[in-house]
Amino acid sequence: MSNLNSERMEAKAKAIEEALGRIGEPISEAQAKDLAVREDCDCKEGMFALAGTRRQLFGGAGLAAAVGMTAMLPRAAAAKAPPGAAEYPVPADATKEQGRMMGIDGGYGLRSQFESEVRWFNPTRSASFTPMQNGYGIITPSGLHYERHHGGIPTIDPTKHRLIIHGLVDRPIKYSLADLRRFPTVSRTYFMECSGSTGRELMRVTEPTVQRSHGLVSTSEWTGVPLSALLKQTGLKPGAAWVLAEGADAAVMTRSVPIDKCLSDALIVFAQTGEAIRPEQGYPMRLFLPGWEGNISIKWLRRLEVSDQPYYTREETSKYTDLITTTGKARIFTFTMEAKSVITFPSGEMKLPGPGFYEVTGLAWSGRGKIARVEVSTDGGKTWSLAALQDPVLPICQTRFRFPWIWDGTATVLQSRATDATGYTQPTHQQLIAERGPLEAPGMMYHMNAIQSWGVAADGSVKNVHSLG
């Protein structure tokens, strides 16, 4: 049997190598050399083709004369440049025209005008969704991190903002942002996911793309102070069991947090992926509870009140509970985001150009720890094969997976399923319905982590399909 498996693996590797060899446009050696020819190029002067000498280029008005200042400044009012970019004229040959000066972006930096990924906003503008289909690696750019707001984005002066810790503590304390920065800090790479992510997809397809179906999840490096360090300073009185976290937004968002979580891995974060946390993510500080539903990581954090019992706030009774339709009851305080995965390429509204080799890729994550394995099916769940996990594989962090696939041009369905380090495996829609009951539209199922299916048609078009039909 081992010899047979070895032969199959060798045959598959050979087929993949042959398929890879058909990618790209072959050219002749003469064509390749022609690309390297540069007319009137005086390489002796350091490849500065537009100036007679380096002194001429950098001296006085030489630079402006050689290139022209109008070619070096962005067209700030140009409408076709995507958000986060500026439009610049595109030369016919970039090797024959000096590039623009650095610093004209004001010192913060711009992305290329040819990159247009943006967040998608829901009709009520209460949430925005990460463009997962265009991501690389596991870190989400801060400007593309998903958002969920209950009362808009407040503007807060960091010099006046304070975090108060009181209640069942020995010493109530008020901290400024400057105070928090004096504590020893830690940086951790974690995912965050809204518990409503994919919530309307239980019974039928509702969204066409992976951005709109799964885009309420993102990964960042978060920097801040362990909450346990602050609670050590305040001290805890006997009976301390819960903490009420309260935000400074118009919704005064509040959630009850078990004291054990506060004393383990909870953070008060003030930085995200190397810079100050953004206003839409809670500037100047937010609570961060790794692996738990996003809404409990209270943004614009202003108060932590220690108590002997939960507070049963609006956001943990009327919302963010799990309705069990078979009993008519609801589960409360279901904090953890279970193992989940999704194929991001190919995914909804994409189109494969034709049969051949493709690398199926996507993301997997679990609030309980590391991803142990991801399996991919290219036949609608009939058979499964292990995907490769791309390093780094971190706990409570998105993990990128990759799977080599030679598409033969026939219609099929692609799926992925994740298993985390605890042994929990991502369920099917049928398994979730058996556990919690059906939930007809427009019902919202929180913690919906069922296996996602992408149908690939014979013409290469990809769309969201549902296992229930």
Side-chain angles (χ1 to χ4, degrees), residues 233-245:
Q233 297 300 314
T234 63
L236 295 174
K237 290 185 176 181
W242 290 80
V243 174
L244 178 73

Side-chain angles (χ1 to χ4, degrees), residues 31-272:
Q31 289 173 313
K33 290 182 177 180
D34 183 62
L35 293 175
V37 173
R38 295 292 180 263
E39 294 181 0
D40 302 323
C41 177
D42 186 0
C43 299
K44 295 180 181 180
E45 293 298 332
M47 297 303 292
F48 292 94
L50 295 182
T53 64
R54 293 173 63 89
R55 179 177 299 178
Q56 177 184 342
L57 179 64
F58 291 108
L63 181 61
V67 181
M69 289 302 294
T70 57
M72 302 183 66
L73 298 176
R75 300 175 186 171
K80 63 181 181 179
E87 184 191 353
Y88 296 96
V90 180
D93 185 347
T95 67
K96 294 185 177 181
E97 181 173 316
Q98 180 66 21
R100 61 184 178 272
M101 291 185 295
M102 62 181 177
I104 60 176
D105 53 24
Y108 189 76
L110 300 169
R111 64 174 175 173
S112 168
Q113 67 198 64
F114 302 104
E115 300 297 322
S116 57
E117 296 84 3
V118 294
R119 291 176 287 206
W120 177 80
F121 297 90
N122 67 351
T124 61
R125 291 274 172 164
S126 59
S128 69
F129 297 66
T130 294
M132 301 175 70
Q133 69 279 6
N134 296 320
Y136 302 93
I138 59 174
I139 299 295
T140 306
S142 295
L144 296 176
H145 194 288
Y146 89 88
E147 303 170 74
R148 173 70 175 100
H149 309 305
H150 294 75
I153 305 169
T155 301
I156 296 175
D157 183 343
T159 64
K160 297 179 180 179
H161 186 79
R162 298 292 184 271
L163 168 61
I164 297 172
I165 303 179
H166 68 118
L168 289 181
V169 299
D170 297 324
R171 298 174 298 281
I173 298 179
K174 179 170 62 175
Y175 294 103
S176 67
L177 179 60
D179 292 333
L180 292 183
R181 287 175 172 168
R182 293 178 61 185
F183 280 84
T185 61
V186 298
S187 293
R188 300 285 186 268
T189 302
Y190 291 128
F191 81 86
M192 179 181 289
E193 182 177 19
C194 174
S195 59
S197 176
T198 329
R200 301 191 189 278
E201 298 275 325
L202 178 67
M203 305 300 296
R204 59 180 58 83
V205 169
T206 61
E207 300 296 348
T209 66
V210 69
Q211 178 173 16
R212 290 172 59 171
S213 65
H214 287 71
L216 290 176
V217 60
S218 303
T219 292
S220 293
E221 180 191 65
W222 303 95
T223 299
V225 179
L227 177 52
S228 59
L230 304 183
L231 293 177
K232 182 178 180 180
Q233 297 300 314
T234 63
L236 295 174
K237 290 185 176 181
W242 290 80
V243 174
L244 178 73
E246 180 182 271
D249 59 331
V252 192
M253 184 74 174
T254 48
R255 288 297 308 267
S256 301
V257 184
I259 195 68
D260 288 347
K261 184 68 171 177
C262 296
L263 294 174
S264 58
D265 58 359
L267 301 172
I268 307 298
V269 299
F270 45 76
Q272 174 188 10

